[in-house]
């Protein structure tokens, strides 16, 4: 159930808005340093979590170290922004953050088939064997230019 009056707004650049509004299954955001690529990707992950309960999503980058230093910090900051007003709305979106398991549980706005949340995993592409058997509904690869093509064959 969606809380009455809940509004979620982020200030987007025109390029971020264009990316987030693309209807395509596979999308690419090209831009220089500081152009908002990581933020746009993380916002898309959050949007999927909010509207598609039960979905499992993977956020990846070439190495786990780079992922933790950059992409995950942005993802966590955006979830924290969503949770700032949770006392008023009664909704807290970041339900669980587990670094050891490399996963986060995010509250969805709706319930479907017994699920009221989505799960976000993160993984460095330096360990491609961990991708085996993952049942993913979405995948966000940050800094794709760093990753070798062989990783897409997993």
């Amino acid at each position: 159930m969606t809380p009455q009056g809940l509004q979620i707004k982020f200030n987007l650049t025109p390029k971020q808005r264009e990316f987030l509004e693309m209807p395509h299954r596979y999308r690419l955001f090209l831009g220089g340093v500081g152009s908002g690529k990581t933020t746009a990707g993380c916002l898309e992950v959050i949007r999927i979590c909010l509207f598609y309960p039960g979905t499992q999503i993977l956020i990846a980058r070439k190495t786990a170290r780079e992922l933790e230093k950059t992409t995950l910090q942005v993802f966590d900051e955006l979830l924290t922004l969503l949770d700032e007003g949770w006392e008023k709305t009664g909704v807290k979106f970041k339900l669980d953050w587990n670094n050891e398991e490399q996963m986060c549980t995010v509250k969805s706005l709706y319930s479907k088939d017994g699920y009221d949340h989505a799960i976000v995993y993160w993984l460095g592409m330096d360990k491609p064997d961990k991708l085996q058997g993952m049942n993913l509904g979405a995948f966000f690869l940050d800094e794709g230019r760093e990753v070798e093509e062989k990783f897409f064959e997993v």
Side-chain angles (χ1 to χ4, degrees), residues 31-42:
V33 174
S35 63
K37 301 178 300 289
T38 299
T39 299
C42 289

Side-chain angles (χ1 to χ4, degrees), residues 110-126:
Y110 308 96
S111 292
K112 183 179 179 190
D113 299 328
Y115 291 99
D116 66 351
H117 63 276
I119 297 175
V120 178
Y121 297 97
W122 55 86
L123 186 64
M125 297 297 283
D126 47 346

Side-chain angles (χ1 to χ4, degrees), residues 54-68:
T55 302
Q56 295 183 53
I57 305 158
L58 177 66
I59 298 176
R61 190 166 171 176
K62 184 177 182 181
T63 67
R65 180 173 163 79
E66 285 301 313
L67 180 67
E68 290 166 6

Side-chain angles (χ1 to χ4, degrees), residues 70-111:
T70 57
T71 315
L72 285 182
Q73 286 186 7
V74 172
F75 182 64
D76 188 40
E77 287 169 11
L78 292 170
L79 284 176
T80 300
L81 280 173
L82 279 178
D83 281 347
E84 279 183 353
W86 78 272
E87 291 92 358
K88 292 179 196 170
T89 63
V91 178
K92 192 162 187 168
F93 293 98
K94 185 167 61 172
L95 301 177
D96 182 42
W97 187 282
N98 188 324
N99 283 321
E100 189 174 313
E101 296 291 326
Q102 295 181 296
M103 65 175 280
C104 174
T105 306
V106 179
K107 175 93 172 111
S108 298
L109 292 173
Y110 308 96
S111 292

Side-chain angles (χ1 to χ4, degrees), residues 12-42:
L12 302 173
T13 67
K15 286 296 231 183
Q16 288 171 325
R17 183 171 308 286
E18 179 184 349
F19 171 79
L20 291 168
E21 290 176 353
M22 286 179 180
H24 310 293
R25 182 174 182 177
Y26 300 104
R27 293 176 279 164
L28 178 66
F29 189 143
L30 294 172
V33 174
S35 63
K37 301 178 300 289
T38 299
T39 299
C42 289

